[in-house]
Amino acid sequence: MKIFTTKSDLKNYFKELSSKEVTIGFVPTMGALHKGHLSLIEESKKNNGITIATIFVNPTQFDKKEDLEKYPKTIDKDIALLKETGCDVVFTPTVEDIYEGNVSSNSFDFDGLEHEMEGKFREGHFNGVGTIVNAFFHIINPTNAYFGEKDFQQLQIIKKMVEKLHLPINIVGCPIHREANGLAMSSRNERLTSKQREEASIIYKVLQSVKAKLHTESIGNIKLWVEKSFENHSSFKLEYFNIADEATLKEITEIKPKRSYRAFIAVYTDSIRLIDNLAL
Ligand code: AMP
């Protein structure tokens, strides 16, 4: 596995590669890798000549300084895992190399997708995501890029960005990997105590119950039930729960035929923010 730490070295590598007409699969990550990340690498390996992962904790997508500072960093372990999974290239640039002294976001218009859910609670988050993913797309020029449904809103926003900027990149969504107790794998889980990790199974349990209740109860009643469930679970604080249309990400109040919907949730335990979603 080749490891690059500067974009100029990486660009030189791609220049050499360009005559070989090989397809490039790209998996952007912020490190602290787990099986969810590795499933994206495996998916890329199936369909591309070269798979490249980036490990970069992007400062412009963090709205809270504490969250950025406490983001887990396990670079040696990450590199070992990527090697084991058969990743071909890993790019671990510095903030300076990427932002060149100007650590700020560009402004994007994602046709309103950015104002729903996460957009309401994480000021500037999706402009930060768009900025870094677009920067990597221009450095790497991938054929396919892989994103997890764990961050479903992000996946839809990246698809929108590619469409609006006419980038010739195929965006592939990959299913959510979960712990045995149902908790969606996340780098932030590293910050949970073992008790919190165990208790966090409530998130997936609630989502599954929502799916079951959809046959018999109104969406208004389901929302109230979810709110109550978390009120009764004092170590978790519900930030939002929504049932939304997969394409528009707009919250719905009734189910219509021929549309696809998902339940989305964000909760806090201590200062650790966890998100999850489930196709309905
Ligand atoms: P992150 O390092 O959190 O920025 O995640 C990098 C990529 O891995 C994103 O596309 C995430 O959606 C994806 N990802 C994170 N957790 C999971 C998971 N549990 N299952 C599948 N994909 C995931």
Side-chain angles (χ1 to χ4, degrees):
M1 184 173 75
K2 291 193 183 322
I3 302 174
F4 295 101
T5 56
T6 66
K7 57 178 186 256
S8 63
D9 286 349
L10 184 69
K11 278 180 179 167
N12 284 337
Y13 166 75
F14 281 126
K15 232 180 247 161
E16 284 167 31
L17 208 69
S18 60
S19 59
K20 300 200 176 104
E21 286 192 17
V22 61
T23 52
I24 296 170
F26 170 42
V27 180
T29 84
M30 297 203 297
L33 301 184
H34 49 69
K35 286 196 185 117
H37 293 116
L38 300 179
S39 72
L40 270 54
I41 301 282
E42 276 155 10
E43 194 54 35
S44 169
K45 278 175 62 65
K46 280 188 215 159
N47 295 306
N48 298 279
I50 295 277
T51 289
I52 171 166
T54 49
I55 297 175
F56 182 69
V57 182
N58 174 37
T60 61
Q61 71 188 67
F62 285 82
D63 58 329
K64 290 200 173 78
K65 206 168 155 234
E66 187 197 359
D67 193 24
L68 171 61
E69 281 164 0
K70 291 201 170 154
Y71 202 83
K73 291 183 187 70
T74 58
I75 188 76
D76 294 340
K77 187 174 152 219
D78 292 349
I79 286 175
L81 285 171
L82 288 173
K83 211 183 252 177
E84 232 171 72
T85 313
C87 186
D88 301 292
V89 179
V90 56
F91 180 40
T92 61
T94 60
V95 171
E96 177 55 33
D97 189 47
I98 293 297
Y99 282 99
E100 299 175 348
N102 180 19
V103 184
S104 65
S105 297
N106 299 321
S107 248
F108 292 88
D109 171 8
F110 298 116
D111 287 350
L113 294 178
E114 71 276 30
H115 301 311
E116 306 299 329
M117 297 183 291
E118 294 293 287
K120 293 194 174 117
F121 295 94
R122 301 189 70 188
E123 175 86 39
H125 172 67
F126 288 118
N127 278 333
V129 169
T131 301
I132 190 61
V133 173
N134 194 30
F136 281 143
F137 281 173
H138 282 88
I139 297 168
I140 295 168
N141 293 308
T143 322
N144 299 295
Y146 296 81
F147 292 85
E149 289 181 349
K150 162 80 176 18
D151 303 282
F152 191 83
Q153 187 170 10
Q154 169 175 280
L155 167 65
Q156 299 300 66
I157 277 178
I158 298 298
K159 283 184 182 165
K160 180 65 74 181
M161 181 177 82
V162 161
E163 177 196 315
K164 290 198 124 186
L165 301 180
H166 308 289
L167 302 175
I169 302 169
N170 179 39
I171 303 300
V172 184
C174 301
I176 301 175
H177 266 58
R178 298 180 179 281
E179 305 286 355
N181 71 358
L183 173 64
M185 289 182 182
S186 164
S187 304
R188 287 186 176 84
N189 295 354
E190 301 238 340
R191 293 176 54 202
L192 299 173
T193 62
S194 53
K195 185 160 178 269
Q196 285 171 327
R197 232 175 225 253
E198 211 174 283
E199 288 181 350
S201 63
I202 184 186
I203 300 168
Y204 186 51
K205 284 195 190 116
V206 162
L207 289 176
Q208 283 178 309
S209 300
V210 165
K211 189 169 178 167
K213 283 177 188 290
L214 212 57
H215 300 292
T216 53
E217 290 190 38
S218 71
I219 289 178
N221 278 348
I222 292 175
K223 277 196 90 162
L224 289 174
W225 177 81
V226 172
E227 283 159 17
K228 271 254 159 59
S229 303
F230 281 95
E231 276 162 23
N232 295 336
H233 232 279
S234 59
S235 45
F236 290 87
K237 196 174 151 282
L238 180 66
E239 187 168 59
Y240 67 78
F241 168 77
N242 270 357
I243 294 179
D245 186 296
E246 283 195 352
T248 63
L249 301 180
K250 285 203 182 306
E251 185 171 13
I252 57 148
T253 50
E254 56 172 356
I255 299 286
K256 295 203 175 111
K258 294 188 187 159
R259 304 292 305 177
S260 300
Y261 301 108
R262 250 170 215 260
F264 294 88
I265 198 164
V267 302
Y268 274 97
T269 178
D270 288 339
S271 63
I272 306 160
R273 188 169 184 275
L274 302 172
I275 59 168
D276 200 350
N277 67 81
L278 186 69
L280 297 174

